[in-house]
Amino acid sequence: MRKSLAIVLAMLVVLVNIGFANVQPVLGVEIVTEATSAILMDAASGQILYEKESHKELPPASVTKLMTLLVAADAVASGKVKLTDKVTASENASKLGGSQIYLEPGETFTLEQMLIAIAVGSANDGCVAVAEHIDGTHEAFVEEMNRKAQALGLKNTHFANAYGLPAEGHYTSAYDLAVISREALNYPLIRKLTSIKEYDLRDGKFKLWNTNKLLWWYPGADGFKTGWTNEAKYCLASTVERNGLRLICVVMGVPQVRGHFAESMKIYNYGFAKYEFKQFAPVTQKQGVVKVRKGIEDEVTAVTEKPLGTTVEKGKDKNFWVETKLNPEISAPIQKGQKLGEILLYRNDQLQANVNLIADHSIARAGLAGQMTRTLKGVFGY
């Protein structure tokens, strides 16, 4: 009896051990990338969705030009320069090697054409010509780039030139480039320039092809910049938008030819598979009315300035609630698009996003006679 019981117990131990041996541990999804450094960021919130050594200081090669374009776009937005300005190439600009449009000293293009040459053709000589046009010297423009980096709070970035050729003290990080990319999205000009696939320069005698192949290969890709040097290897800062979800991806130090495209697509695939943009109010949706004093109309409708929503992990979109804050009344005149309040999105007690509520149309101030008529109507009801 004891012997039989011992045999049964031994068999049970064997079966249990076999069962445990066949159980595989549940592991979280992990991206394996050949990039030395990489990051995936939600453009709307700045939330990091994936990263690998994202703060490591590395040479960015021509991805440097994203900051060059940002400083130039800021100069255009402020009125310091115009896209129609004539930019004349100096001898200094014409001496640059690497990727270029072979500027001749004295050759002239509009600022817009020069920026296209930088964004599409990665023109080193164009960077110097633009820098000199905006700030007088290339060195002064680079100082402006570094001031912009400081203003954005970048802790692992310093620029030594505007074009990205190897230089002492010229470095950045994947995280810092993602922050620069996020800031660049505030300037529609940058995405317009960097999404151009091809461009004819010099009356069609010089063809530019965009070096960012994601524009052809990956649906939703619409911007930013590639880079390569022997030192930096292959680098790419890019952005993709699908179904309201806009992501930013940066990869640096990828060893394989075209590997920066493959690694970026791999990381984007992960992002779009795992996350979605949850919309709670579309753009221009009515959110209430505000009383108008001294206007030719009694009230104005408040609508959302932009879509209200947030990026969430798929299947985890619970515990959200919305709060609307509106001014009870406002005095005319009112301009279309004037801020009347805001709508806030919370998850539990944490603020996730907020959008301005704006006037859906303009309302002029009423004349004295009109104001008196409205006052009498309010008092006597006629």
Side-chain angles (χ1 to χ4, degrees):
M1 179 73 177
R2 290 179 179 176
K3 185 176 181 180
S4 298
L5 182 60
I7 292 172
V8 170
L9 289 172
M11 291 177 65
L12 285 172
V13 169
V14 171
L15 288 171
V16 168
N17 286 336
I18 291 174
F20 279 125
N22 289 331
V23 173
Q24 298 297 321
V26 178
L27 300 176
V29 177
E30 183 176 346
I31 304 173
V32 178
T33 177
E34 297 296 323
T36 301
S37 175
I39 192 167
L40 181 68
M41 179 179 285
D42 172 39
S45 66
Q47 178 187 356
I48 298 172
L49 307 179
Y50 166 79
E51 62 181 332
K52 174 188 176 181
E53 295 195 61
S54 66
H55 297 285
K56 186 179 181 68
E57 294 177 358
L58 294 168
S62 283
V63 185
T64 298
K65 297 179 175 94
L66 182 55
M67 180 60 100
T68 303
L69 291 169
L70 180 56
V71 173
D74 195 35
V76 172
S78 68
K80 184 177 180 180
V81 294
K82 295 183 175 64
L83 291 174
T84 54
D85 286 357
K86 297 297 183 182
V87 179
T88 302
S90 66
E91 186 174 349
N92 189 37
S94 68
K95 289 179 178 179
L96 261 290
S99 55
Q100 56 184 306
I101 56 171
Y102 302 97
L103 288 173
E104 293 289 339
E107 189 174 12
T108 299
F109 291 99
T110 66
L111 176 59
E112 183 175 25
Q113 288 175 313
M114 284 288 195
L115 293 177
I116 291 172
I118 295 169
V120 179
S122 199
N124 294 337
D125 45 2
C127 290
V128 175
V130 166
E132 292 175 341
H133 178 76
I134 292 175
D135 280 314
T137 67
H138 174 242
E139 292 75 17
F141 185 87
V142 173
E143 289 179 7
E144 189 70 23
M145 292 170 66
N146 285 316
R147 281 195 292 272
K148 186 70 173 179
Q150 290 180 337
L152 291 173
L154 308 186
K155 300 187 183 307
N156 301 103
T157 295
H158 185 268
F159 297 108
N161 59 61
Y163 37 80
L165 290 177
E168 186 178 353
H170 191 88
Y171 57 84
T172 186
S173 68
Y175 174 82
D176 286 3
L177 282 174
V179 173
I180 294 170
S181 299
R182 191 168 175 236
E183 176 69 10
L185 289 172
N186 292 323
Y187 297 81
L189 174 63
I190 295 178
R191 208 161 83 244
K192 176 185 174 183
L193 295 171
T194 58
S195 64
I196 296 172
K197 291 183 177 181
E198 57 181 277
Y199 187 79
D200 290 325
L201 203 63
R202 299 188 178 98
D203 298 321
K205 297 176 182 177
F206 195 91
K207 186 81 167 182
L208 298 175
W209 293 95
N210 201 311
T211 55
N212 180 9
K213 301 308 176 186
L214 291 191
L215 297 175
W216 286 268
W217 298 347
Y218 202 76
D222 60 358
F224 303 139
K225 193 71 193 70
T226 62
W228 177 85
T229 61
N230 282 324
E231 179 188 33
K233 301 186 176 67
Y234 292 92
C235 307
L236 174 63
S238 60
T239 183
V240 175
E241 190 275 334
R242 291 183 185 175
N243 300 318
L245 175 60
R246 179 169 290 281
L247 301 178
I248 293 166
C249 178
V250 179
V251 294
M252 301 183 73
V254 181
Q256 303 93 341
V257 175
R258 295 191 172 183
H260 47 334
F261 304 128
E263 297 306 301
S264 295
M265 289 189 286
K266 180 194 302 181
I267 294 170
Y268 277 127
N269 285 343
Y270 163 81
F272 286 113
K274 187 170 184 179
Y275 297 94
E276 64 180 343
F277 181 78
K278 181 75 173 179
Q279 182 172 275
F280 291 84
V283 65
T284 70
Q285 184 181 69
K286 180 180 177 180
Q287 296 294 328
V289 294
V290 175
K291 291 183 179 180
V292 177
R293 290 185 286 111
K294 301 179 181 180
I296 61 173
E297 297 179 45
D298 294 330
E299 61 184 27
V300 63
T301 299
V303 299
T304 47
E305 184 178 32
K306 299 186 298 183
L308 176 70
T310 189
T311 300
V312 297
E313 193 171 341
K314 290 180 179 179
K316 297 183 179 180
D317 57 352
K318 309 300 182 186
N319 304 317
F320 284 96
W321 57 281
V322 171
E323 179 184 12
T324 301
K325 294 182 178 180
L326 271 178
N327 296 326
E329 62 179 14
I330 189 171
S331 295
I334 300 167
Q335 299 299 318
K336 181 179 180 180
Q338 184 175 331
K339 183 177 178 180
L340 303 175
E342 59 181 347
I343 181 170
L344 303 99
L345 176 64
Y346 292 89
R347 185 172 196 175
N348 297 319
D349 294 325
Q350 298 295 315
L351 180 66
Q352 302 294 309
N354 63 288
V355 169
N356 289 337
L357 297 177
I358 58 174
D360 70 335
H361 68 286
S362 299
I363 297 179
R365 187 180 181 90
L368 182 59
Q371 292 185 43
M372 290 180 65
T373 299
R374 289 181 60 190
T375 301
L376 291 170
K377 183 177 179 180
V379 173
F380 297 106
Y382 69 88

